[in-house]
């Protein structure tokens, strides 16, 4: 993956090209370590944590992040919605690294609040065009052969939806935070459908939630059989309540709304249902007044998470630019980064697992001389899709689409390190 | 472990992993009873599949709507505060502020019935009778100018109700309409003469501030 020869080459290309296209980020700045006049009291004074005993083992039966990380939390935008039970909050992407999103920081989107479901009373029903309608308990599912573990991103189709008309929110948590990346544990949907026996005229599958919105979506049978999962585990533990405990469906690469949480039923039918979340919502209104429907796939997208408005640059000299790229069509092949608003681009270094339909982490190690920068990133996937600019997207879709905004994000880094969400020509 | 016992152990394991399969089935789960399927399978499709027996008039729907829905969706479906708007918006879809309602945007009337029956009133789902849902659906169709004041909606006449925006929907065509986003070699050097800031989130100033509107789970 990472050893793709083409990638190796472009990685070297970046270092080579640095001097030519990004003269201000000179390597010469990274010279000798700075001299220190007075001894550092953090070293010369004995600290409390060095003298006194720390917490015992039972202090936190379920461990929590350090109190110094208390700002790293999901946040919501109050004016967006009328009620918190039908609302959304955002993953703090600017403060995270690697590719896996910690369970407690995965963004939430509910349509009728997050229900507390007793797993001993939870059932999964399969009905409709099947040979034998079935009911499973959670125990039945956990005894079922064929369990798998797979990493996938989940992105809400409305991620970036507030930015269609122009830059609105200052922070990649708010502009891009309706995405998370998790390793799921469960069963391929196919094995459960096979157990019920899908009739030959069964062409669509409708997952339904047990919550007060009883969420429903129509999924074509090919996708259901190909790679959808029915899962009870995330990142090694049970699903969190707000992520669908005790059971949810995983629809890799497709918009998050289809990943029905608190999954209680799968119906097989011969036509799509055209329910509220695939008509009134999650359809893309274009400039001519017509609308695309069944726009399930999340196209390739990327964002620089640091520097970003909530993670400004604090130091000149060596710095690490970092970001995320993903594609619902497959695997990220390359990410390019510009610091001059798209005049010149360099290929970023990808690190960590490079998996299909998963967040992929990229870095550019650079030296900053305090110049103003217009930073963007551009993702490419293995189908050859190249993340478009926002203006290229608007040209095709107009300004009223709400959903599927995968346009290139621009951050303006000012000479004092402050970083802003901007749009450029 | 003797050679013999090891071999016996392996045989046992082999027997375990090739559990007797009934016609290729695992045999977990049980058959769903008709009453159980009926309790959950309430979904309705545009062709009317799934509609329960029953009927309701615009007049009855108005009474029910005023009692159970108007506090959020407004007396005339105009939406109170930020709660969803259900009525109006015809002719607005190409404008700067499109209003997507049952009358202006939704392709199928069945969606209204299905959604109200499964999820409304908000916070008290599944509390309406089927006749109530027919009546409220009839009222919302009437408010959107789709059926007359004396209309009675029923399982029998449901699929004759057509919504005006149905033909405006078409299947995802990004792979054709946006073919130009698939490129071999995106530009790397001297791609444009200039890059000027044209808009700033700061000017809009709607970002939640630190410490404000934080929701810690």
């Amino acid at each position: 993956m990472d050893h793709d020869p083409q990638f190796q080459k472009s990685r070297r290309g970046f270092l080579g090209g640095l001097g030519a296209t990004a003269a201000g980020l000179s390597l010469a700045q990274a010279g000798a370590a700075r001299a220190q006049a007075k001894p550092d009291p953090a070293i010369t004074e004995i600290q409390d944590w060095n003298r006194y005993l720390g917490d015992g083992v039972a202090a936190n039966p379920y461990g929590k992040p350090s109190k110094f990380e208390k700002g790293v939390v999901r946040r919501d935008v109050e004016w967006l919605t009328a009620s918190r039970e039908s609302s959304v909050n955002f993953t703090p992407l600017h403060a995270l690294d690697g590719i896996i999103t910690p369970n407690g920081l995965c963004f939430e989107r509910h349509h009728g609040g997050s229900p507390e479901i007793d797993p001993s009373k939870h059932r999964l029903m399969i009905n409709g065009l099947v040979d034998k309608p079935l009911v499973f308990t959670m125990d039945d599912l956990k005894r079922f052969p064929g369990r798998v573990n797979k990493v996938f991103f989940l992105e809400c189709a409305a991620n970036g939806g507030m930015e269609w008309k122009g830059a609105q929110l200052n922070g990649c948590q708010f502009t891009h935070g309706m995405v998370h990346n998790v390793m799921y544990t469960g069963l391929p949907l196919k094995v459960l459908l096979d157990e019920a026996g899908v009739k030959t005229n069964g062409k669509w599958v409708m997952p339904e939630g047990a919550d007060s919105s009883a969420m429903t979506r129509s999924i074509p049978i090919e996708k259901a059989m190909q790679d959808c999962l029915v899962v009870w585990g995330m990142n090694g533990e049970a699903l969190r309540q707000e992520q669908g405990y005790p059971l949810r469906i995983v629809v890799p690469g497709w918009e998050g709304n289809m990943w029905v949480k608190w999954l209680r039923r799968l119906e097989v039918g011969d036509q799509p249902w055209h329910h509220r979340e695939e008509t009134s919502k999650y359809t893309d209104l274009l400039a001519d007044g017509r609308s695309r429907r069944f726009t399930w796939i999340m196209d390739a997208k990327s964002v620089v998470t640091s520097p970003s408005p909530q993670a400004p640059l604090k130091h000149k000299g060596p710095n690490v630019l970092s970001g995320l790229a993903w594609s619902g069509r497959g695997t990220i092949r390359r990410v390019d980064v510009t610091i001059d608003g798209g005049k010149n681009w360099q290929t970023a270094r990808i690190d960590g697992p490079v998996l299909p339909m998963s967040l992929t982490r990229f870095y550019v190690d650079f030296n900053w001389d305090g110049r103003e920068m217009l930073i963007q990133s551009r993702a490419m996937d293995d189908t050859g899709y190249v993340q478009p600019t926002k203006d290229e997207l608007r040209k095709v879709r107009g300004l009223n689409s709400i959903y599927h905004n995968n346009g290139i994000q621009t951050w303006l880094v000012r000479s004092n390190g402050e970083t802003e969400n901007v749009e450029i020509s | 472990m003797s050679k013999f016992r090891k071999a016996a152990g392996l045989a046992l394991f082999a027997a375990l992993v090739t559990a007797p399969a009934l016609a290729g089935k695992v045999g977990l789960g049980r058959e769903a009873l008709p009453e159980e399927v009926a309790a959950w399978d309430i979904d309705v499709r545009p062709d009317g599949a799934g509609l329960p027996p029953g009927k309701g008039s615009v007049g009855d729907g108005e009474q029910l709507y005023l009692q159970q829905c108007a506090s959020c969706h407004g007396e005339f479906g105009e939406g109170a505060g930020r709660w969803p708007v259900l009525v109006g918006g015809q002719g607005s879809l190409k404008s700067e502020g499109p209003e997507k309602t049952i009358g202006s945007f939704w392709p199928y009337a069945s969606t209204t019935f299905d959604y109200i029956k499964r999820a409304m009133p908000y916070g008290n789902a599944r509390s309406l009778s089927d006749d109530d849902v027919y009546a409220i659906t009839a009222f919302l169709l009437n408010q959107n100018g789709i059926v007359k004041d004396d209309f009675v909606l029923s399982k029998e006449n449901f699929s004759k109700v057509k919504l005006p925006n149905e033909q405006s929907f078409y299947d995802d065509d990004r792979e054709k309409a946006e073919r130009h986003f698939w490129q071999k070699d995106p530009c790397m050097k001297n791609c444009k003469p200039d890059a000027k800031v044209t808009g700033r989130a700061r000017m809009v100033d709607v970002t939640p501030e630190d410490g404000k509107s934080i929701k810690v789970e």
Side-chain angles (χ1 to χ4, degrees), chain B residues 127-199:
Chain B
S127 60
L128 298 168
S129 72
D130 289 337
D131 283 348
D132 289 352
V133 180
Y134 276 109
I136 295 171
T137 304
F139 171 69
L140 288 173
L141 291 171
N142 172 258
Q143 289 293 292
N144 276 293
I146 289 149
V147 300
K148 296 214 174 82
D149 292 351
D150 60 358
F151 189 73
V152 178
L153 184 66
S154 68
K155 178 178 159 79
E156 288 68 37
N157 66 10
F158 202 104
S159 49
K160 291 196 192 84
V161 179
K162 297 285 174 215
L163 298 188
N165 199 42
E166 177 180 343
Q167 297 310 321
S168 305
F169 287 84
Y170 60 100
D171 289 350
D172 186 4
D173 66 345
R174 279 177 289 175
E175 286 172 24
K176 258 205 232 128
E178 298 177 4
R179 189 69 228 158
H180 54 292
F181 295 160
W182 278 263
Q183 309 172 36
K184 269 231 157 55
D185 294 302
C187 177
M188 296 298 281
K189 298 256 176 294
N190 304 317
C191 301
K192 56 188 196 188
D194 217 9
K196 280 213 180 69
V197 173
T198 55

Side-chain angles (χ1 to χ4, degrees), chain B residues 1-10:
Chain B
M1 200 192 270
S2 77
K3 257 193 187 148
F4 169 76
R5 277 173 61 196
K6 200 166 169 184
L10 282 175

Side-chain angles (χ1 to χ4, degrees), chain A residues 117 119-127 132-142 144 187-189 191-193 195-196 205-210 229-232 246-249 260-267, chain B residues 28-32 36-37 40:
Chain A
I117 297 177
S120 73
K121 291 190 187 154
H122 191 73
R123 305 285 181 268
L124 176 67
M125 180 187 289
I126 302 182
N127 74 302
K132 187 175 172 186
L134 292 174
V135 173
F136 298 97
T137 62
M138 289 303 297
D139 279 354
D140 291 336
L141 296 173
K142 290 181 180 176
F144 215 92
L187 294 165
L189 174 56
V191 303
L192 296 176
L193 292 174
E195 185 74 7
V205 176
M206 188 193 71
E208 179 182 72
L229 307 175
V230 170
V231 305
W232 54 83
L247 203 63
R248 92 175 303 170
I249 186 169
V260 171
K261 300 188 278 194
W262 313 292
L263 178 72
R264 74 164 181 204
R265 194 166 70 93
L266 295 158
E267 182 172 341
Chain B
L28 282 169
R30 61 166 176 83
E31 184 151 7
E36 293 171 331
V37 173
W40 278 359

Side-chain angles (χ1 to χ4, degrees), chain A residues 164-165 283-292 391-403, chain B residues 91-98 100 105 165 168 170 173 178:
Chain A
W164 272 105
K165 292 191 171 134
T283 48
D284 308 5
L285 176 59
L286 304 185
D288 66 1
R290 297 191 307 149
S291 297
R292 285 183 186 147
D391 283 340
E392 285 169 335
L393 269 188
R394 290 175 182 134
K395 223 183 203 167
V396 193
R397 308 207 196 146
L399 298 178
N400 290 332
S401 274
I402 303 176
Y403 306 105
Chain B
S92 73
L93 296 183
K94 288 188 225 172
S95 75
E96 254 182 52
K100 297 194 263 183
F105 189 68
N165 199 42
S168 305
Y170 60 100
D173 66 345
E178 298 177 4

Side-chain angles (χ1 to χ4, degrees), chain B residues 1 5 15 34 41-42 52 57 71 79 85 87 90 111 120 127 139 149 169-170 172 198 206 210:
Chain B
M1 200 192 270
R5 277 173 61 196
D41 185 354
I42 59 164
S57 68
S71 60
V85 177
V87 171
Q90 277 91 339
T111 312
M120 288 293 136
S127 60
F139 171 69
D149 292 351
F169 287 84
Y170 60 100
D172 186 4
T198 55
V206 288
D210 261 19

Side-chain angles (χ1 to χ4, degrees), chain A residues 110-402:
Chain A
H110 314 311
H111 290 261
S114 158
E116 191 172 62
I117 297 177
D118 176 348
S120 73
K121 291 190 187 154
H122 191 73
R123 305 285 181 268
L124 176 67
M125 180 187 289
I126 302 182
N127 74 302
L129 298 176
V130 291
D131 297 333
K132 187 175 172 186
L134 292 174
V135 173
F136 298 97
T137 62
M138 289 303 297
D139 279 354
D140 291 336
L141 296 173
K142 290 181 180 176
R143 290 165 61 208
F144 215 92
R147 190 182 302 179
V148 293
N149 293 285
K150 290 193 191 275
V151 177
F152 294 115
F153 78 80
L154 178 162
E155 185 183 15
C156 176
N159 200 16
M162 287 88 76
E163 305 280 312
W164 272 105
K165 292 191 171 134
Q168 277 223 60
L169 291 162
N170 242 331
C172 75
Q173 176 165 21
F174 304 111
T175 55
H176 291 76
M178 282 196 264
V179 65
H180 59 62
N181 205 52
V182 161
M183 178 154 81
Y184 295 98
T185 302
L187 294 165
L189 174 56
K190 180 180 191 307
V191 303
L192 296 176
L193 292 174
D194 284 348
E195 185 74 7
V198 173
K199 294 205 156 101
T200 49
N201 57 340
K203 297 291 175 222
W204 294 81
V205 176
M206 188 193 71
E208 179 182 72
D211 62 313
S212 75
S213 78
M215 180 62 64
T216 46
R217 288 295 300 256
S218 306
I219 301 175
I221 193 81
E222 297 78 22
K223 178 70 175 175
M225 290 296 193
Q226 186 186 320
D227 59 4
C228 290
L229 307 175
V230 170
V231 305
W232 54 83
M234 65 189 293
N235 294 332
E237 63 179 0
L239 288 174
R240 289 289 170 90
Q241 174 178 325
E242 66 272 26
Q243 303 302 336
Y245 182 86
L247 203 63
R248 92 175 303 170
I249 186 169
V250 167
V251 189
W254 289 20
E255 61 191 19
N257 178 258
M258 306 179 83
W259 300 43
V260 171
K261 300 188 278 194
W262 313 292
L263 178 72
R264 74 164 181 204
R265 194 166 70 93
L266 295 158
E267 182 172 341
V268 180
D270 59 356
Q271 292 170 35
W273 282 262
H274 295 287
H275 277 181
R276 186 233 182 185
E277 313 292 335
E278 49 204 14
T279 54
S280 168
K281 309 291 170 197
Y282 304 101
T283 48
D284 308 5
L285 176 59
L286 304 185
D288 66 1
R290 297 191 307 149
S291 297
R292 285 183 186 147
R293 68 178 172 201
F294 300 153
T295 45
W296 301 305
I297 298 179
M298 301 308 296
D299 277 319
K301 185 166 175 178
S302 68
V303 63
V304 170
T305 53
S306 174
S308 66
Q310 296 156 291
L313 285 184
K314 290 191 205 146
H315 308 278
K316 290 184 189 168
N319 274 291
V320 179
L321 177 152
S322 177
L324 291 165
W326 61 96
S327 170
R329 296 185 188 273
T331 306
I332 290 297
R333 268 284 160 261
R334 195 175 104 192
V335 182
D336 299 326
V337 171
T338 174
I339 57 159
D340 59 13
K343 286 186 242 172
N344 299 288
W345 297 82
Q346 303 286 349
T347 297
R349 171 171 70 88
I350 290 181
D351 189 75
V354 181
L355 302 167
M357 296 175 281
S358 162
L359 295 190
T360 303
R361 177 61 64 176
F362 64 86
Y363 296 103
V364 175
D365 305 307
F366 70 105
N367 283 285
W368 185 48
D369 61 1
R371 66 160 56 189
E372 206 170 88
M373 297 187 285
L374 287 167
I375 293 181
Q376 301 179 323
S377 62
R378 175 175 73 189
M380 279 175 79
D381 69 19
D382 59 357
T383 71
Y385 183 97
V386 180
Q387 183 183 2
T389 65
K390 289 187 176 173
D391 283 340
E392 285 169 335
L393 269 188
R394 290 175 182 134
K395 223 183 203 167
V396 193
R397 308 207 196 146
L399 298 178
N400 290 332
S401 274
I402 303 176

Side-chain angles (χ1 to χ4, degrees), chain A residues 74-84 86-91 108 162-163 168-171 173-178 310, chain B residues 82 205-209 212-215:
Chain A
R74 297 181 285 215
R75 286 169 197 230
D76 62 352
V77 178
E78 249 191 292
W79 52 264
L80 264 183
T81 49
S83 116
R84 279 222 156 116
S86 166
S87 193
V88 59
N89 61 19
F90 301 86
T91 308
E108 301 172 76
M162 287 88 76
E163 305 280 312
Q168 277 223 60
L169 291 162
N170 242 331
Q173 176 165 21
F174 304 111
T175 55
H176 291 76
M178 282 196 264
Q310 296 156 291
Chain B
R82 282 172 300 176
D205 194 25
V206 288
T207 311
E209 277 163 35
K212 249 174 61 188
S213 133
I214 298 180
K215 196 174 162 200

